[in-house]
Amino acid sequence: MTGAATQATTQKATEEVTGEAMQETTQQTTGETAGRTTPLHGVRVLDLATLFAGPLAATMLGDFGAEVVKVEHPTRPDPSRGHGPSKDGVGLWWKLLGRNKRAITLDLSRPGGRATLLRLAATADVIIENFRPGTLEKWDLGWDELSAANPRLVLARVTAFGQFGPYAHRPGFGTLAEAMSGFAAITGEPDASPTLPPFGLADSIAGLATAYAVMTALAARDRTGAGQVVDMAIIEPILTVLGPQPLWYDQLGYVQARTGNRSANNAPRNTYRTADGSWVAVSTSAQSIAERVMCLVGRPDLIDEPWFATGADRAAHADLLDEAVGSWIAARSRADVLAAFEKAEAAIAPIQDVRDVMADPQYQALDTITSVEDPELGRIRMQNVLFRLSSTPGAIRWTGRPHGADTEEVLTELGLTPAELTSLREAGAV
């Protein structure tokens, strides 16, 4: 589906999601988008997790048609509802993270909440949780109890350090994974301190990995008929995406150092300032690109140097190459630099902040930032679904719902009577 078609589909679905029509719309659009079956139609996910890896995994499953039920504590909702900027008292991060989820409340530590969760688990395909190891077991909601209620259930357990080992019971966040994994150690200028990312990098990578792990477990269940436990430690996926550092150390004793914006594997590779005060990034991972860049900036003579033939040798001469490229770029406006690089078929990109991203024509063509209707804030823009499928596309069917907005609907669908709901409320279980 094209970006325009995806946007049209999303708009059609979301324009119906207003006020009193919300509950009816969520039921109508859970498995279908504009009449087209979604790839995860029929998969039910209970999202018990908070901040941020587990909920992000559930969001991505919901984007492609899974019915996601967000389960929050009655008085202590997911902190992402209040994380970061808000508008008119409405947390904006939650609008993104909570999209395509129905929101209910349950206190799992209370008998009524426990019993209700087990009833929900019997109807679910997946549970995603990020309590410290042993917490669910303390509430008699561990794997033994959950799998007894539903042998086909996949339980994804997302924690900082995993379910076992000397750190398993420590509190932890993605920041610790960014520190422990080696990411911070190689990020920043060589003579400066290690640098942590100003966003949830490790959590986001773990969220992607968790969604993949869940789909893998569901595929296995299709063959075996049995569910299983996913043990996702946030410290591990980020280590995977850092590349072959352990292999280098194992075989060569090599420890990657901080190199700022430069690379030890190729050059020129850096950020450069243009004459009008903008910044651009240049990469020359391919030999042919490196040669085109040097021809463009008026230094074709360097191509004939013996060291120019490999990326690692070019990296050893980064000062010389950066001077050649940087001085050429510094004499020209950003527009002229980008146009010249494009004409030369050399790799370059502007350094963009979010204002530039929102206006970028390539992102616009892909509908990467899409417009959806929100009952509280009106029309808002956010990232679209993660990828495009030609036959069964995903969609943003609705944005993050108010805390507990769907409790009565979901539990009534589960078969609870009005009297049972009243009893749960009086006991503080919902």
Side-chain angles (χ1 to χ4, degrees):
M1 178 178 285
T2 64
T6 302
Q7 185 172 9
T9 299
T10 302
Q11 182 174 343
K12 179 177 180 181
T14 55
E15 282 178 348
E16 298 175 350
V17 184
T18 55
E20 296 178 355
M22 171 63 82
Q23 290 185 351
E24 179 181 355
T25 303
T26 59
Q27 291 174 332
Q28 291 174 345
T29 61
T30 294
E32 297 185 341
T33 302
R36 305 181 72 176
T37 300
T38 53
L40 297 183
H41 174 45
V43 174
R44 193 177 211 205
V45 179
L46 304 182
D47 175 9
L48 313 185
T50 60
L51 288 180
F52 282 102
L56 179 59
T59 300
M60 288 185 287
L61 297 173
D63 284 349
F64 286 90
E67 179 199 357
V68 180
V69 177
K70 176 70 176 181
V71 181
E72 299 171 87
H73 191 277
T75 61
R76 297 191 300 275
D78 189 325
S80 64
R81 290 182 178 274
H83 209 78
S86 63
K87 180 181 179 182
D88 300 331
V90 178
L92 298 178
W93 203 325
W94 171 251
K95 290 298 179 183
L96 175 68
L97 193 63
R99 73 189 190 192
N100 294 333
K101 301 178 183 181
R102 293 198 283 174
I104 74 169
T105 61
L106 281 180
D107 185 343
L108 304 183
S109 68
R110 296 178 183 269
R114 174 190 180 275
T116 304
L117 183 72
L118 288 174
R119 289 178 67 171
L120 284 168
T123 72
D125 298 281
V126 180
I127 291 179
I128 301 175
E129 63 96 2
N130 71 335
F131 299 106
R132 284 200 217 179
T135 300
L136 284 183
E137 286 75 8
K138 179 178 66 176
W139 298 331
D140 293 326
L141 286 170
W143 176 240
D144 289 344
E145 291 81 8
L146 292 171
S147 60
N150 183 356
R152 291 175 55 81
L153 184 70
V154 171
L155 174 63
R157 315 194 75 166
V158 186
T159 57
F161 305 111
Q163 294 296 308
F164 56 91
Y167 303 165
H169 292 277
R170 292 182 181 179
F173 300 97
T175 298
L176 305 190
E178 290 146 10
M180 286 180 59
S181 63
F183 172 85
I186 65 169
T187 305
E189 295 298 325
D191 57 351
S193 62
T195 300
L196 294 167
F199 67 101
L201 177 62
D203 275 308
S204 298
I205 296 171
L208 289 164
T210 301
Y212 165 61
V214 165
M215 295 308 301
T216 301
L218 289 175
R221 188 190 70 177
D222 287 344
R223 294 195 306 273
T224 67
Q228 60 183 297
V229 176
V230 172
D231 180 4
M232 178 62 64
I234 296 174
I235 60 173
E236 291 184 302
I238 189 171
L239 182 58
T240 296
V241 303
L242 284 172
Q245 289 190 50
L247 179 59
W248 287 339
Y249 181 74
D250 176 65
Q251 294 297 301
L252 303 171
Y254 173 71
V255 178
Q256 184 174 346
R258 290 191 294 282
T259 56
N261 291 322
R262 289 179 172 178
S263 169
N265 302 310
N266 68 82
R269 192 264 197 184
N270 213 328
T271 58
Y272 306 93
R273 195 168 189 176
T274 63
D276 53 0
S278 298
W279 291 85
V280 296
V282 173
S283 178
T284 57
S285 295
Q287 180 70 20
S288 60
I289 299 295
E291 293 175 2
R292 291 172 194 167
V293 169
M294 301 321 297
C295 289
L296 174 63
V297 302
R299 293 301 307 271
D301 56 297
L302 295 178
I303 298 173
D304 296 326
E305 294 288 346
W307 50 261
F308 199 87
T310 69
D313 285 342
R314 292 199 310 273
H317 294 79
D319 287 343
L320 174 60
L321 295 173
D322 274 346
E323 170 59 28
V325 175
S327 60
W328 186 90
I329 289 176
R332 293 161 174 81
S333 69
R334 187 179 84 164
D336 288 344
V337 170
L338 295 175
F341 267 72
E342 182 175 359
K343 183 177 181 181
E345 298 184 357
I348 193 170
I351 303 295
Q352 299 189 149
D353 64 19
V354 67
R355 294 167 295 185
D356 303 312
V357 170
M358 302 289 268
D360 186 280
Q362 182 60 34
Y363 282 131
Q364 290 179 346
L366 297 173
D367 196 30
T368 306
I369 307 296
T370 197
S371 181
V372 297
E373 193 70 29
D374 179 76
E376 296 178 283
L377 299 175
R379 188 158 292 276
I380 61 178
R381 290 184 290 172
M382 64 173 62
Q383 297 96 318
N384 209 336
V385 299
L386 191 60
F387 49 86
R388 286 162 292 281
L389 295 178
S390 61
S391 298
T392 56
I396 303 170
R397 290 164 283 141
W398 62 86
T399 55
R401 299 274 285 136
H403 180 228
D406 305 293
T407 301
E408 184 171 345
E409 178 190 30
V410 171
L411 297 188
T412 299
E413 292 172 0
L414 190 63
L416 271 70
T417 66
E420 288 176 307
L421 284 170
T422 298
S423 178
L424 288 173
R425 288 194 184 95
E426 291 175 347
V430 299

